[in-house]
Amino acid sequence: MNARITTQAFFDPKTWTVSYVVWDPATQRAAVIDPVLDYDFKSGHTSTTSADQVLAYVVEHALHVDWILETHAHADHLSGARYLQQRVGGRIAIGENIRTVQATFKKLYNLERSFLPDGSQFDHLFKDGETFRIGEAEATAMLVPGHTPADMAYLIDDSVFVGDTLFMPDVGSARADFPGGEAHQLYRSMHRLLALPPETTMYVCHDYPPASRPARWQTTVAEQKALNIHVRDGITEDEFVAMRQARDATLEVPTLILPSIQVNVRAGHLPPADENGVSYLRIPLNTLPIHGR
């Protein structure tokens, strides 16, 4: 919490994801960032336990949700944006480069002809540097590509919500080997965030903590610059890229990447139901590269 906004985090231990409600106490206007729709891979069932925690908080505090902000099309969880919008309203927004991600994955999944990779599934597409408001609090959308082409961070007063671009200092940085990802871009995006004032509070979207500590999601720009194991002061771009590329070559494909992205490029909509009223997820076989072997 800072002088202008209140921030409440919600940690999902199944996907290591942190969602946020950010709100202005003066006006009760709010934004939800990166909500989760629960998905059981074995049964194919979705559920709303995680999103309902966010919803309960919104109701308890009598908040008016103006925005549901996605930092990118996540590969590790399904988006709960549409579920929340149906209950509390708000405009679902993401960066305008989502069109590039949609075009890539429309081909991978061979999605239906009616799916257009034009971003129209979202209510608003942010341009880099675009400003908006959450009540009396000013916010700025910042393009931070590298993990994916469409990653956005949201600077809200003196806090920044960085999505997957940076993790906690002892975990480091996001991978850059997804389609359209690029390690040089990621390094420059991280340094754009690290150029913010050192006292800026930084909130991450995931934590994968070592055994020595519980999950955490709040740090500062100064702490990242001093301690981040991948991008602290003194680590050059070439050193980072070499490390990132070598590390990414050892990482397994995320468990939920195939079910999640085809939902998340639709702004949280499930695929259109077939004639029998059932929605189906598509699993392309022998397509994604195999890492970690």
Side-chain angles (χ1 to χ4, degrees):
M1 177 170 143
N2 63 33
R4 291 288 301 277
I5 62 170
T6 295
T7 299
Q8 179 63 48
F10 299 85
F11 180 65
D12 173 34
K14 293 181 180 178
T15 63
W16 308 95
T17 301
V18 190
S19 306
Y20 298 95
V21 176
V22 183
W23 58 286
D24 171 25
T27 62
Q28 303 295 108
R29 314 305 296 195
V32 177
I33 303 176
D34 291 332
V36 172
L37 180 70
D38 302 299
Y39 176 70
D40 182 70
F41 192 83
K42 293 179 180 178
S43 69
H45 278 266
T46 62
S47 59
T48 60
T49 302
S50 296
D52 284 338
Q53 293 175 0
V54 174
L55 180 60
Y57 182 87
V58 168
V59 172
E60 177 186 356
H61 293 273
L63 303 181
H64 303 277
V65 175
D66 292 325
W67 295 98
I68 301 174
L69 305 173
E70 298 281 13
T71 54
H72 63 294
H74 303 272
D76 39 39
H77 68 268
L78 279 65
S79 171
R82 191 64 59 181
Y83 172 77
L84 285 174
Q85 184 185 55
Q86 290 169 344
R87 282 149 184 81
V88 294
R91 303 171 71 190
I92 300 175
I94 199 167
E96 63 178 345
N97 286 1
I98 189 62
R99 300 183 186 106
T100 301
V101 177
Q102 289 176 323
T104 297
F105 285 98
K106 178 170 184 174
K107 293 178 182 177
L108 177 69
Y109 293 111
N110 194 28
L111 295 180
E112 67 278 2
R113 290 185 179 181
S114 61
F115 177 84
L116 300 178
D118 60 2
S120 60
Q121 300 80 3
F122 295 82
D123 300 308
H124 187 80
L125 301 181
F126 283 116
K127 298 181 182 297
D128 184 29
E130 184 176 346
T131 60
F132 59 105
R133 303 197 75 80
I134 302 168
E136 296 178 358
E138 183 173 273
T140 303
M142 301 173 64
L143 177 64
V144 285
H147 175 58
T148 79
D151 277 62
M152 302 296 289
Y154 298 104
L155 179 64
I156 306 173
D157 276 354
D158 58 359
S159 296
V160 63
F161 298 81
V162 300
D164 287 12
T165 299
L166 278 160
F167 295 143
M168 294 300 291
D170 57 350
V171 179
S173 62
R175 63 196 298 165
D177 61 332
F178 291 157
E182 209 281 321
H184 288 281
Q185 274 193 335
L186 180 59
Y187 181 88
R188 295 164 193 167
S189 292
M190 291 188 295
H191 274 268
R192 184 181 186 190
L193 295 169
L194 296 177
L196 293 169
E199 67 274 13
T200 303
T201 303
M202 182 176 288
Y203 293 97
V204 301
C205 183
H206 294 284
D207 190 34
Y208 307 99
S212 59
R213 67 164 175 84
R216 294 176 52 222
W217 41 82
Q218 180 178 339
T219 180
T220 65
V221 167
E223 187 177 21
Q224 292 280 29
K225 292 179 71 174
L227 300 175
N228 188 286
I229 59 174
H230 293 168
V231 73
R232 65 181 178 272
D233 286 347
I235 295 178
T236 68
E237 182 171 338
D238 287 343
E239 289 171 334
F240 171 79
V241 170
M243 177 282 301
R244 190 69 266 167
Q245 291 176 343
R247 179 171 172 76
D248 288 349
T250 71
L251 298 177
E252 294 184 349
V253 173
T255 301
L256 294 182
I257 185 172
L258 289 175
S260 65
I261 292 183
Q262 60 191 295
V263 171
N264 296 343
V265 295
R266 304 175 193 269
H269 273 301
L270 297 180
D274 281 6
E275 296 82 358
N276 61 359
V278 177
S279 292
Y280 292 86
L281 295 172
R282 299 174 67 85
I283 303 298
L285 300 179
N286 303 317
T287 317
L288 293 181
I290 301 174
H291 289 183
R293 291 188 181 179

